[in-house]
Amino acid sequence: MNLFTIDTGLFKLDGGAMFGVVPKTMWQKLNHPDENNMCTWAMRCLLIQDADRLILIDNGIGNKQDDKFFGHYYLHGDDTLDKSLAKHGFSRDDITDVFLTHLHFDHCGGSIIRKNDQLIPAFKNAIYWSNEKHWDWAINPNDREKASFLKDNILPIQESGQLKFIETKDGIDFTGEIKIRFAYGHTDAMMLPQIHHKGKTIIYMADLLPSAAHIPLPYIMAYDMFPLKTLIEKKSFLDEAAANDYLLYFEHDPLIECCSLQVTERGVRMLDSFKLSEI
Ligand SMILES: [Zn+2]
């Protein structure tokens, strides 16, 4: 099995929204905001080459929305999904599985492209994986989360006939080396791939821990639907991860791709940071 980092570009989100109840005097040391209080975040996906499958975990924000939409998110950086795939010798048509941790636009926007005014799958040979619980939640969104679930990103996946659901059972096998964990605080039934690779366990953190700065327990995004559920999920995950030497892979950390953990007097904290290619 081979793992490749797929950087799809950087964007900005309000620092206060990203750090919830933590005051700016504290979070600004961890991710420096611009003059509008916006912080830079990555949209770092993961490509897994496993036997005859080529699995892409999440796919970034895509490019089909209008300038007004993208004006809110200040896309920057040189990386794109296509460039990052090409760097490793692949193209979109090689992808056999598109695994969507959840359907927020910064995770699944690359799923669907606009061609001749039609919305069609960007990965024509792939199965797209979600789960029924999250899918139903996303297509009937509440007013607080609605802005994150864009119909153009979601409905054409089902219309294409390429959508399949994973059973919402914690620890279920996706492949022999990849198990799926579920988390319910950020949004309903978000999926976190747990990958067994080179004798290590690597967790794709999605939005349970968007960045290394979010490791301390109170650092929970204001975007989360159920922050106290996230708190319980974070605590139990971090205790398990530190006890078992799991490695964390961050989707949104602008600088840190991966880290190991240690138990300190103040709780679980980062030990070392490194690139995926260094594992
Ligand atoms: Zn999210």
Side-chain angles (χ1 to χ4, degrees), residues 102 104 107 186 207:
H102 61 304
H104 287 165
H107 297 255
H186 175 64
D207 282 348

Side-chain angles (χ1 to χ4, degrees), residues 190-205:
M190 177 170 70
M191 302 194 284
L192 310 180
Q194 173 165 326
I195 303 146
H196 190 249
H197 179 59
K198 293 186 179 170
K200 312 263 188 216
T201 299
I202 303 165
I203 315 287
Y204 187 88
M205 294 314 309

Side-chain angles (χ1 to χ4, degrees), residues 172-191:
I172 194 166
D173 279 338
F174 183 64
T175 71
E177 303 296 329
I178 307 171
K179 294 185 186 309
I180 308 303
R181 306 172 69 101
F182 288 83
Y184 296 86
H186 175 64
T187 184
D188 204 14
M190 177 170 70
M191 302 194 284

Side-chain angles (χ1 to χ4, degrees), residues 22-209:
V22 177
K24 184 179 176 187
T25 48
M26 295 175 78
W27 63 251
Q28 67 183 356
K29 296 175 193 151
L30 305 170
N31 190 323
H32 303 288
D34 69 13
E35 65 281 7
N36 294 317
N37 229 32
M38 305 290 278
C39 298
T40 286
W41 306 95
M43 288 177 284
R44 183 180 297 112
C45 307
L46 177 64
L47 186 67
I48 306 173
Q49 187 180 31
D50 188 8
D52 53 355
R53 291 169 82 174
L54 195 59
I55 304 161
L56 180 63
I57 313 288
D58 284 353
N59 53 43
I61 200 168
N63 56 15
K64 68 184 166 306
Q65 270 73 41
D66 58 19
D67 292 347
K68 186 171 173 242
F69 174 84
F70 287 122
H72 295 299
Y73 300 105
Y74 306 91
L75 302 187
H76 59 291
D78 295 328
D79 295 311
T80 67
L81 175 66
D82 287 325
K83 272 203 236 172
S84 294
L85 289 173
K87 205 191 278 182
H88 302 296
F90 299 111
S91 76
R92 280 189 267 146
D93 294 353
D94 298 325
I95 305 292
T96 61
D97 301 83
V98 173
F99 182 96
L100 301 170
T101 59
H102 61 304
L103 296 164
H104 287 165
F105 63 79
D106 51 324
H107 297 255
C108 74
S111 297
I112 296 294
I113 50 171
R114 194 183 303 278
K115 202 175 177 186
N116 304 329
D117 263 349
Q118 299 261 69
L119 293 171
I120 60 167
F123 304 92
K124 66 174 192 234
N125 300 315
I127 295 169
Y128 286 68
W129 296 95
S130 179
N131 68 76
E132 197 169 8
K133 197 168 195 300
H134 183 67
W135 189 271
D136 289 345
W137 179 261
I139 62 172
N140 302 294
N142 65 69
D143 286 328
R144 189 163 174 270
E145 200 176 1
K146 210 180 202 161
S148 297
F149 289 129
L150 309 184
K151 287 200 160 39
D152 285 356
N153 285 339
I154 300 174
L155 299 181
I157 300 176
Q158 192 162 40
E159 287 156 13
S160 73
Q162 291 172 234
L163 175 66
K164 277 197 184 171
F165 291 140
I166 295 167
E167 193 185 341
T168 44
K169 198 169 114 190
D170 213 32
I172 194 166
D173 279 338
F174 183 64
T175 71
E177 303 296 329
I178 307 171
K179 294 185 186 309
I180 308 303
R181 306 172 69 101
F182 288 83
Y184 296 86
H186 175 64
T187 184
D188 204 14
M190 177 170 70
M191 302 194 284
L192 310 180
Q194 173 165 326
I195 303 146
H196 190 249
H197 179 59
K198 293 186 179 170
K200 312 263 188 216
T201 299
I202 303 165
I203 315 287
Y204 187 88
M205 294 314 309
D207 282 348
L208 178 60
L209 287 172

